[in-house]
Amino acid sequence: MSGTTTAAAALRRRAAGAGANRWVVLVVLCVSLLLVAVDATVLHVAVPAVTEDLKPGGMELLWIVDVYPLVCASLLILFGTLGDRIGRRRVLLLGYALFGVASGLAALADNAQVLIVARALLGVGGAMIMPATLSILRQVFPDRRERALAIGIWSAVAAVGAAVGPLLGGFLLEHFWWGSVFLVNIPLMLVSLPVGRLLLPESKGDGKGPWDVVGALMAAAGLFGVVLGVKRLGSGGAPGSLLTVLPLVAGAALLAGFVRRQRRREYPLVDLRMFARPAFSTSVGCIVLAMLALVGLELIAAQYLQLVLGLSPLETGLRLLPLTFAAMAAGLAGARMLRRFGPRRMVCAGFCLTAFAVVLLTALGRTDDWALMLSGFVLLGFGLETTLFGAYESMLSEAPQEQAGGAAAIGETSYQLGAGIGIALLGTVMNAAYTPGLSGVPGVPASASASAGHSLGEAYEVAAQLGGSAGTALRHAARDAFVHGLHVTLLVSAALLLLGAAMALRLPRVMQCEPEQVELPAPRDAADSRVSV
């Protein structure tokens, strides 16, 4: 029996990666993911330079920053399922080309409108690349043990990209103009296109029935509305504002219509029966909760490091690096932990470790306790990456092979939604705990206190304008209020993480590694939904 299993595994590997070493394929896919992850954060440090050069209005500046993740999150399901239909490698290579062209357009933009369009096109390219990398990885590594190691490397690269973005942007801005943060993409894409065409295997879904164009557009428009509404909440938009409520309601209605449409179709765009599998639906929920905690905490931590401790942006990035290194270590060790502990214990332990790290960080105050911060960030990074690794691996392994693109798109969409909801929810908690601390500061007018209540940065500006003892009192009160808000937010995050740990109890206890059934090659004139070499 063991000989049959070994032969079947070898045949699966040949079918998935003949003519191309699957580990080289993984390198190509990781380079793709690195570019997309870096581009999501590289612009953040360039915002002041862009503002000075292009003179965008407040709304234009908001769109310059937000249009990339907004468009990318909206189109993940569309391009993920399109890859299942016309070929995942084809969609990935088209994404490479569009990403390179859009990067050149963004670098050479001479006004805000052109930069917004270029960033939107970058979002389209990113949406083509992200689900394709994960679905091709699912195809190239049919053996679950090897796939677990590949996903660990893939997720570690994602963690590196998110952290490298601000550091790379800061380095380029010190030596070149702001457009250089986009130009760096072009040579990498020029290399990735021919290498990807030569090495990456093509794969498709089963090809049954027509591709649901209307459903794809409904999903894209619905996600656009929901993510836009969530981002407006996260950026301080009034919850009752028409510009916040309308996108949320319209997006939710479109997504509800999309779900209803998929349930009625004989050949749905996304097979929603996957959510009936506890491991799949639980994994998606765990990804949302993990990203909710990570992004919200990283945003607040960056403000704490810069505004409370007075560190520079580069020093802030360096302080956050231990979190990234710990995440890389967890990703690389994830395959071994998954085999030893199983998905349930691994994801549950990851959530619990992260919650412990968050509670530990509540000891932070107005002074720089670098040892405490280092310990907390290392535990935070290791715990969250352990959780994300286990959740992604379980989700991808539960999805049928022919639905790999759709499953990858769902996973990436939950990742983006979790990030957006995290900024909105934890930002709201932070503001609710911070603002009351600025009322009744001696010598500070009510109007000044109201303005200072918007953010710590604005409080410092108001304090500078007031000057004297009133300005000093406002500055101290704002700093204390921010630290109090940080502690409250951390405790809320810990509660959400413990909720995730309870949710993870629905995951399988052990890692299932039964050999998959191997299909024989179909005749050349038949519609082949398997890997073509």
Side-chain angles (χ1 to χ4, degrees), residues 81-379:
T81 56
L82 182 63
D84 288 340
R85 172 67 51 171
I86 68 172
R88 294 152 189 155
R89 184 186 68 170
R90 181 177 299 175
V91 170
L92 180 64
L93 295 179
L94 288 173
Y96 285 165
L98 181 58
F99 209 83
V101 171
S103 296
L105 182 63
L108 301 176
D110 58 357
N111 59 67
Q113 293 78 16
V114 173
L115 185 55
I116 291 171
V117 171
R119 289 276 290 168
L121 291 176
L122 281 169
V124 176
M128 299 171 81
I129 293 170
M130 289 177 70
T133 61
L134 200 53
S135 56
I136 292 175
L137 187 150
R138 169 72 172 85
Q139 194 81 22
V140 172
F141 292 92
D143 181 79
R144 187 168 182 180
R145 291 181 183 272
E146 286 191 346
R147 184 166 66 242
L149 177 58
I151 291 175
I153 297 171
W154 179 89
S155 58
V157 169
V160 171
V164 165
L167 294 177
L168 177 63
F171 173 79
L172 291 173
L173 286 172
E174 286 185 2
H175 299 86
F176 308 101
W177 97 113
W178 61 264
S180 61
V181 301
F182 298 108
L183 281 183
V184 71
N185 297 331
I186 296 177
L188 292 174
M189 285 302 171
L190 289 175
V191 172
S192 297
L193 262 172
V195 171
R197 183 173 178 81
L198 287 172
L199 295 182
L200 296 178
E202 184 59 284
S203 62
K204 300 179 183 179
D206 54 25
K208 294 179 181 178
W211 187 58
D212 185 9
V213 179
V214 174
L217 294 176
M218 287 178 67
L223 286 169
F224 186 91
V226 169
V227 176
L228 177 60
V230 168
K231 280 187 171 293
R232 279 194 55 80
L233 284 173
S235 60
S241 168
L242 187 64
L243 293 177
T244 302
V245 173
L246 187 60
L248 279 173
V249 172
L254 283 169
L255 289 179
F258 169 75
V259 170
R260 186 177 180 184
R261 178 181 178 86
Q262 297 309 297
R263 286 177 173 171
R264 291 182 171 185
R265 289 182 65 85
E266 182 180 1
Y267 300 107
L269 187 70
V270 176
D271 189 356
L272 298 177
R273 290 175 299 178
M274 289 189 292
F275 284 94
R277 303 181 181 187
F280 186 89
S281 56
T282 301
S283 296
V284 170
C286 288
I287 291 171
V288 171
L289 279 174
M291 285 309 301
L292 189 155
L294 175 62
V295 174
L297 290 177
E298 278 191 339
L299 179 67
I300 295 170
Q303 294 177 353
Y304 170 79
L305 291 169
Q306 292 185 65
L307 298 178
V308 176
L309 300 185
L311 302 182
S312 69
L314 182 59
E315 290 172 329
T316 299
L318 292 174
R319 285 293 185 95
L320 292 172
L321 275 183
L323 189 152
T324 303
F325 289 143
M328 290 172 57
L332 295 175
R336 180 173 297 180
M337 289 192 293
L338 187 66
R339 289 196 300 270
R340 181 170 182 179
F341 302 112
R344 180 187 300 179
R345 282 188 290 179
M346 181 177 178
V347 176
C348 187
F351 270 124
C352 291
L353 181 61
T354 309
F356 173 77
V358 166
V359 173
L360 183 67
L361 289 173
T362 57
L364 292 174
R366 287 170 49 179
T367 57
D368 186 1
D369 190 341
W370 64 268
L372 174 65
M373 197 178 304
L374 176 64
S375 303
F377 283 172
V378 167
L379 293 175

Side-chain angles (χ1 to χ4, degrees), residues 430-440 453 481:
M430 180 72 193
N431 289 336
Y434 163 75
T435 303
L438 297 180
S439 59

